[in-house]
Every structure is written in C-alpha cells, then in structure tokens.
Amino acid sequence: PLDAVTESINWHFDRIGCATSRKGLTLLGDTGVLSGSALGLYEFRDSGSGTNNRIITVSGTTAYYLSGTTWTSKRTGLTADSKARFSTFLDFVFMVNGTEATAIWDGDVANSFVTTGNAASAPTGKFIENFKSRMWIAGNTTYPDRLYFSSIPSSVATPVITWDTNVTTGQWIDISPSDGENITALKRDRSSLLVFKNNHIYRVYAFDDTEPDPKINVGTYSNESVVTAKTGIFF
C-alpha cells in the first residue's frame, strides 16, 4: 500500500503499530587472547539459577568461555580449521567438530569439557541436535550418511543417556546411503528432525519412524545457513 515502508535499514517492525531501531553491537571480552579464526560460537543456558550460563567460542585450536571480560581457555588441542557446533541437553553443552571426540561441559568454571558421562561412547560427528528426548549426531567421516541417536534419559532425578555405535546393532539410521550426497545439516522442527543433504531434505519423526524419500528436492551445503525464524525454518 502507498502508506507502507517499502525499504528500510536497521529497523524492526515486530511490534504492531511501532517501528524500533535495531539494537547495536557490543564487543565481548578481550579478543586479543583469541588465537585464530572463529570456528564456533554458542550461548549455553543453564536451566537452574543461571549461574552456569556461558558464552562459548572456538578460535584456532582452543575452546574458550567468557569469564567476565576475559576469554578463558576451556578445551585445548583441537584440530585446526574444524568447525565446532553445539547443542544443550540435560544441562550440559554438547560439542562436536567432526574430528575430536564428542565432549560435554556443565558450565561450571571448576569443571572442563569431558568425553565421559553422557558423552561416553558417543560418535564423532560434525552436526548435533536434540530431538524427542534424545541427542542426535551426524557427519561422521567414516559413515557420512549415518544419523546416530542416544538413549532417552534413564531417570528424572539423575538423567543419563548412553550411546551404542556398533556397526551392525547400534543406535543409528542410514539416510539414503551412498546416493552421491552427504548429510550437511540437522535442524529440529516442531514435529520432526530435518536432515539436510546437498540437494534434498529428509524428515525423521522418531528413531523408528523416518521418511525413506526426501521431503523436498532442495537442500543446503551449509549447516550455518539453516535458521529458525518466527514463521518457519529458512536456509
């Protein structure tokens, strides 16, 4: 309509009848301690009092968390140029990078990332998501079409998950194996886990309910291109 704005920069129109300027940017911490290109960024939110909420970044071969105004090392010896991705479940942040073992951290500054506990025997992968009370990992270099899933938590009081990656009897699903494409992204939707390949999207409803054929013949080459917005998932 003639009275509508057809073009704008740095404005939000979320509130009915109101236009607000986009919020600015704030530098987080002393970036001088970071040792290379940013390979991952995540905001871990603890479901308790929030004392373990953390901003986490991976730079070079090290994972850091923001302690006040200082980036503090929390996991070292990572493979250079390996993108790190994260997901939160059971008040732990799970970290994968396609090379190192899957690791978890509870956000407590006295603790570090570990590969034991809920990460014990977890597969190595590039992509991770939580869905239907399970953790899901894909992007294993040996099995690039394989989607692994954990057990459901063992109890409410002290929830623990386990993994079984046995090549014949383990907890995994092959998504259209050896079809000339590899899994490139995972994204949780309202009723399904979307598994992206280069040119297709598959829907997983549960560990025993998966579409054998793609939902749509369009995919993505980048996990970072998949974004959840108010009206759906864009990529």
Side-chain angles (χ1 to χ4, degrees):
L2 296 178
D3 59 347
V5 176
T6 59
E7 210 172 308
S8 68
I9 296 177
N10 292 335
W11 288 87
H12 288 305
F13 299 91
D14 306 68
R15 296 168 57 188
I16 297 176
C18 182
T20 56
S21 60
R22 179 183 64 83
K23 293 182 179 180
L25 303 176
T26 301
L27 180 66
L28 296 179
D30 178 11
T31 58
V33 303
L34 302 182
S35 57
S37 300
L39 298 169
L41 182 66
Y42 191 69
E43 181 183 19
F44 170 59
R45 305 292 295 183
D46 184 273
S47 63
S49 62
T51 56
N52 288 336
N53 292 347
R54 304 294 174 200
I55 299 293
I56 303 169
T57 188
V58 175
S59 178
T61 60
T62 304
Y64 300 86
Y65 78 97
L66 188 62
S67 176
T69 60
T70 303
W71 289 106
T72 304
S73 172
K74 186 50 65 175
R75 187 182 184 188
T76 60
L78 302 174
T79 301
D81 300 324
S82 294
K83 287 185 178 180
R85 298 181 176 97
F86 306 88
S87 186
T88 298
F89 192 48
L90 304 179
D91 268 348
F92 287 93
V93 53
F94 286 69
M95 172 183 170
V96 298
N97 70 354
T99 307
E100 269 70 47
T102 299
I104 58 173
W105 181 38
D106 62 2
D108 190 327
V109 297
N111 301 326
S112 298
F113 277 97
V114 296
T115 57
T116 55
N118 289 322
S121 300
T124 299
K126 298 178 182 178
F127 315 109
I128 188 166
E129 184 65 280
N130 70 78
F131 175 68
K132 289 286 182 74
S133 296
R134 300 177 188 267
M135 290 301 293
W136 303 73
I137 294 177
N140 182 274
T141 55
T142 304
Y143 302 102
D145 298 312
R146 188 155 292 181
L147 177 63
Y148 294 91
F149 56 89
S150 73
S151 68
I152 61 173
S154 57
S155 69
V156 175
T158 55
V160 175
I161 59 173
T162 59
W163 300 85
D164 183 357
T165 59
N166 187 284
V167 294
T168 56
T169 62
Q171 297 171 169
W172 48 263
I173 307 166
D174 277 342
I175 306 296
S176 189
S178 303
D179 63 350
E181 303 179 52
N182 295 331
I183 294 175
T184 57
L186 297 178
K187 192 60 154 181
R188 178 178 62 183
D189 195 6
R190 285 171 293 184
S191 60
S192 64
L193 178 66
L194 301 180
V195 181
F196 290 79
K197 287 197 170 188
N198 302 127
N199 300 295
H200 299 91
I201 303 173
Y202 296 81
R203 292 184 298 188
V204 175
Y205 298 101
F207 74 93
D208 58 353
D209 187 4
T210 305
E211 288 182 336
D213 298 308
K215 162 66 175 175
I216 190 172
N217 293 331
V218 178
T220 184
Y221 280 70
S222 170
N223 186 84
E224 281 62 51
S225 79
V226 187
V227 178
T228 301
K230 292 181 178 179
T231 56
I233 292 177
F234 293 76
F235 61 96

